[in-house]
Amino acid sequence: MEETNREAVATAVQRVAGMLQRSDQLDKVEQYRRREARKKTSVEARLKAAIQSQLDGVQTGLRQLHKALCDVKDIQNSLADVSKDWRQSINTIESLKDVKDAVVQHSQLASAVENLKNIFSVPEIVRETHDLIEQGELLQAHRKLMDLECSRDDLMYEQYRMDSKNVHDMNLIRSYFGQVQGLSEELSKQLWMVLQRAMVTVRRDPTMLVSVVRIIEREEKIDRKMLDRKKQTGFIPPGRPKCWKNRMNEVLESTVSARIESTQSETRESDKMWLVRLLEITRKYVLDDLTVVKNLMVQCFPPHYNTFQVFLDLYLKSVSARVQELAAEDLEANEIVSLLTWVLNTYKSVEMMAHPDLQPECDVKQLEPLLPEHVVDDLLGKYLKTFTSNITGWLRKALETDKKDWQKETEPEADQDGYYQTTLPAIVFQMFEQNLQVAAQINETFKEQVLRVCLKQMNSFLVRYREEAISYKEEHLKDRQHPQCYVQYMIAIINNCQTFKESINSLKRKYSQSAEATQNDATIDKLLNEVAREGCQFLLDEVFLDLEHHLNDLLTRKWLTGSHAVDTICVTVEDYFNDFAKIKKPNNQEMTSEAHRRVVVEYLKAIMQKRISFKNADERKDGADRMIKEADQFKFLFRKLSAVRFIALRSFLKKDTDRLCDSIAAIAEVFKLTDPALLYLEVSTLVSKYPDIREEHIVALLAVRGDASREMRQMIIETLNQNKPSSSTVSQPVFRDITVPSNTMTAMTSMAVPKLLK
């Protein structure tokens, strides 16, 4: 107690010290004192209330204990009275033993008298019962059987009561009624036979089924009665309990199981569609049988049997077991899809468990799945693995077939718009479409997985497609006369790329719910663009192989004196582009632009190679006029080609065409200039129009002109070097890929010229 007081004082001192740390707090001492007094009063009040509550509880408990003590004393007194009465009645009980024996004997005699008629007529009743069973009068037969069993059981019970150890008399009774057990078994066989044919019986003779159910119900009632008597006396008649209701459930279960197992009438060897047929027969059996149960059989059973639910569970259990057996077999890919489609979709559709004839008793939302989730996942994984392997083989075969077509001597087919094409895209995407349609029957997630597999395989396929296109070109270059329709089939290859793109986008729109582009999509687009671009390049290479001889004649003495090289170039290009008109957009537009660029570049290369050096002003004028004329020829040709194909882009392409061809005319103006003093201005104009022109190009042009002195060339180069415009913003470079041959530059090594223009 003292320790508690000391702790309280210490705590109080600490609190007061905390309150009075500053001098201005001394004015609030009275306020602090009142506040602490209020707290003290509040705490004391709570303590008093708690103590009072505890006291009230203790008082109540004491009263209840006192009452319990009184009750215990009353019970003790009552038990003493009972004990006294029991001791007094012992002698009375012993004196009534003779009466007890007389009662037992009287009971046995009464039972014997009651069953006397049956006892003497047992053989006759057995024969009648047997005849009734054979005639199908099951209710009457069961009534007689019950009478026989009742007589036997009563006699055996009385014998058991009189002398349970007298085995001889028990066996005598059992032997006399020995045929009764055989009748019971014979009757049960008839019952099970009726139940096995319940679906047929309920349609033809429902009263027979009702009789069977009534017999089973009677036996169940007798079983319960005998079991209750066994608990009281320890006696149970032979053959009890019969448990016919449990046996009935077993028979129904085996019947349903046999019904489901009987659906397989074909094997894979005899019919490729064996599984589809099996599943369809199963669906029909389940739907028809459950409809019969709902409309007819339910009326033959007591309500507490919950007949429809029992049959529903039996059928679903058997179907589940059957489909699990099928899932464990070595199924092919199409069989896996058929099974999963049936299990995941058909099972709960209006074609089966959600059929209007089964509603509302069958709630599909409460149905358990036929296959465990891990089995479904295993089947899906197996299908994807098989599908991946199959589609790889299909694509390889399709490409091999297409490659054989490339060697034909006849042109490829054209679509409705006249564009060349092969059957490859149609074959590939028909395969994809068929498999995606099948996958969509299972579920959305699986459909997306199959689509991803298709696109992934498409990626690998396009790599091989590109390699085969390159190989096709290389084989052609070994002998340009073969294949005969090389150009046409290369056009078809290019067009196929566009068809592939359109088909892929169509598949994604139709079968994918995700609008986001994946890395695989980007890879496919890149590959298709590369195949198409390389195909266009191969075709242009073919054109320029034919033009090579004529391009070599440009800017030569032969050209200056009246060569028709450009006329031939234009005719050849136009002839090729009659075939190139069969190329789809946008590749045909890019093809025309690239052909135009390459023709102009080759022309400019001819200038830079210094095949000719003009000797005088007349040659320069004749050469410049010829260049301007030929630039106009190129301009006319490519305007014509562009106008035929791209009316919507005519103004843009005209500007593009003019810029390329004007580079030839601009160089011609440099050659045509008669006053060397103005040469710097003309070159400056050329450089301002084409900022990508480099120093070696200017040097080569001056060398071809033939009249620029060493000092003039050096002055022009140095001045241009100081005022060179930036070429980084050039939208369409012309001179970037043009190199000046080393032999042209060698002649200028002695010239003191600056480094290349930056």
Side-chain angles (χ1 to χ4, degrees), residues 483-499:
Q484 187 174 340
C485 295
Y486 167 78
V487 171
Q488 289 79 4
Y489 277 99
M490 186 59 72
I491 291 173
I493 291 173
I494 296 169
N495 288 341
N496 286 349
C497 293
Q498 187 63 26
T499 306

Side-chain angles (χ1 to χ4, degrees), residues 569-579 637 640-641:
I569 290 171
C570 290
V571 170
T572 303
V573 169
E574 186 171 8
D575 181 58
Y576 267 103
F577 269 83
N578 287 332
D579 286 335
L637 170 65
K640 178 181 178 182
L641 296 178

Side-chain angles (χ1 to χ4, degrees), residues 117-219:
K117 180 180 179 181
N118 290 337
I119 291 172
F120 285 113
S121 59
V122 166
E124 182 181 352
I125 296 175
V126 168
R127 285 194 300 272
E128 291 177 357
T129 306
H130 181 74
D131 293 340
L132 289 172
I133 292 174
E134 289 186 346
Q135 294 169 11
E137 300 293 338
L138 301 183
L139 272 179
Q140 296 181 35
H142 185 250
R143 169 58 63 187
K144 291 186 176 293
L145 177 63
M146 287 174 62
D147 292 341
L148 290 171
E149 289 181 338
C150 183
S151 299
R152 180 198 64 184
D153 296 346
D154 287 348
L155 289 173
M156 294 184 73
Y157 175 63
E158 294 301 333
Q159 177 61 38
Y160 178 84
R161 287 179 60 191
M162 184 175 67
D163 187 2
S164 61
K165 297 180 180 180
N166 191 343
V167 179
H168 178 269
D169 289 347
M170 280 288 194
N171 290 336
L172 184 62
I173 298 172
R174 184 181 288 109
S175 175
Y176 187 75
F177 287 90
Q179 292 180 300
V180 174
Q181 186 63 30
L183 286 175
S184 177
E185 293 175 359
E186 188 177 348
L187 177 62
S188 67
K189 290 180 182 179
Q190 293 298 317
L191 299 182
W192 312 147
M193 191 178 299
V194 172
L195 288 172
Q196 288 171 352
R197 304 180 69 252
M199 290 297 169
V200 178
T201 304
V202 77
R203 292 185 177 98
R204 297 180 179 176
D205 186 8
T207 56
M208 177 66 76
L209 186 59
V210 172
S211 299
V212 171
V213 175
R214 288 180 62 186
I215 292 170
I216 292 172
E217 276 293 287
R218 288 175 183 173
E219 290 294 337

